[in-house]
Amino acid sequence: MKRKEILKIILIVIILILIAFVIYFIRNYIIINKIATKQSEITSSSNYSYISELYKGEDKTVIEYYYKDGININILKKNNIESEVIWYDENNKEQITMQVDKLTANVINTENGFKCSMPSQIVENNINDKIDLALRSLISYDEVNGEKCYTIKRFIGVTTTIPYVSMKNGEVLKIALPDNKAIEYKEFKINNLTDEDVKRPDLTDYKVTYNK
């Protein structure tokens, strides 16, 4: 085979690789852009709730999250029984931590209380972050609890966690972690909470301590 023919074949291979890469990038960018747009809509809400389930082997820890107009609630459950409740009012800077099984509660005034947030954003809604993630990720399709999702595997940067993101609305449905651990997120609700749902806890039967 002549030298020119070899060079021609090499050039064609390089061009095909470049075309494949461009198609790969465009496809990734379209998906990432779709996710970023939907997630920005979710995170802008001031009224939401969801449940996270942390799996480690056969062990499961359940946490319920509630947020409405500056009121944050975190409810930890073990074996489906409330174990700890944290209630924090960002407006009045008051935080109440309740050990439900021991009927004890601690009340403090703090500007650094527990703040509820939606599950991790995969990417910020700006072009640089979207391009960066599109270039360094392998995006495939999967299902979590029957819901179709994107699986985003990074091969540069943070590679130890794998998020599963809803194709329908951009919600993070699951994050696979090292050591056979995983967090699943479910029962997302937007603009569904009332003031009654997030009112200050009743501490009538609790032994209460106060800290400034």
Side-chain angles (χ1 to χ4, degrees):
M1 188 178 291
K2 296 182 179 180
R3 180 184 177 88
K4 288 185 178 180
E5 291 178 345
I6 295 175
L7 291 175
K8 183 178 180 180
I9 292 173
I10 293 174
L11 182 60
I12 291 172
V13 171
I14 292 174
I15 291 173
L16 290 175
I17 291 173
L18 289 174
I19 291 173
F21 176 78
V22 170
I23 293 172
Y24 156 85
F25 169 74
I26 292 174
R27 178 246 184 199
N28 274 11
Y29 184 83
I30 290 173
I31 292 174
I32 295 298
N33 185 58
K34 178 182 176 183
I35 291 172
T37 300
K38 290 183 177 296
Q39 287 193 339
S40 65
E41 294 172 357
I42 295 171
T43 55
S44 64
S45 174
S46 61
N47 183 322
Y48 56 80
S49 63
Y50 66 94
I51 295 174
S52 75
E53 296 180 349
L54 172 62
Y55 293 88
K56 182 181 180 182
E58 296 182 356
D59 296 330
K60 180 175 76 170
T61 301
V62 177
I63 304 177
E64 297 179 0
Y65 297 89
Y66 302 88
Y67 178 82
K68 183 181 187 297
D69 300 330
I71 305 295
N72 304 265
I73 302 176
N74 175 323
I75 301 176
L76 173 64
K77 289 186 175 182
K78 296 181 179 179
N79 299 319
N80 293 320
I81 299 175
E82 288 187 9
S83 173
E84 179 182 79
V85 176
I86 301 175
W87 179 92
Y88 178 58
D89 184 344
E90 297 176 17
N91 305 302
N92 296 326
K93 312 302 180 187
E94 181 185 39
Q95 177 165 295
I96 301 173
T97 303
M98 306 163 61
Q99 303 300 326
V100 180
D101 51 346
K102 299 177 182 179
L103 288 178
T104 61
N106 179 255
V107 181
I108 63 172
N109 292 319
T110 178
E111 294 186 359
N112 301 310
F114 163 79
K115 292 186 179 181
C116 178
S117 62
M118 291 294 282
S120 303
Q121 275 187 277
I122 300 305
V123 60
E124 295 294 332
N125 196 14
N126 67 68
I127 190 168
N128 290 333
D129 283 350
K130 289 185 284 190
I131 289 175
D132 179 60
L133 188 57
L135 286 172
R136 59 187 175 89
S137 298
L138 177 64
I139 302 176
S140 57
Y141 303 101
D142 208 327
E143 285 191 7
V144 174
N145 297 321
E147 184 168 348
K148 294 181 179 179
C149 60
Y150 301 110
T151 301
I152 303 175
K153 298 179 181 180
R154 300 176 179 89
F155 43 81
I156 298 176
V158 181
T159 60
T160 56
T161 61
I162 303 174
Y164 294 69
V165 185
S166 169
M167 295 175 64
K168 180 181 179 181
N169 48 36
E171 295 166 350
V172 178
L173 302 177
K174 176 181 175 180
I175 297 180
L177 305 169
D179 301 324
N180 196 32
K181 297 179 183 178
I183 303 176
E184 289 189 6
Y185 301 98
K186 54 186 63 176
E187 297 187 30
F188 291 92
K189 295 178 182 178
I190 306 295
N191 298 324
N192 199 52
L193 296 174
T194 65
D195 290 340
E196 183 69 16
D197 294 324
V198 296
K199 69 178 181 180
R200 191 179 189 275
D202 182 2
L203 302 178
T204 300
D205 296 323
Y206 284 77
K207 180 180 179 180
V208 183
T209 56
Y210 295 88
N211 299 94
K212 296 182 179 180

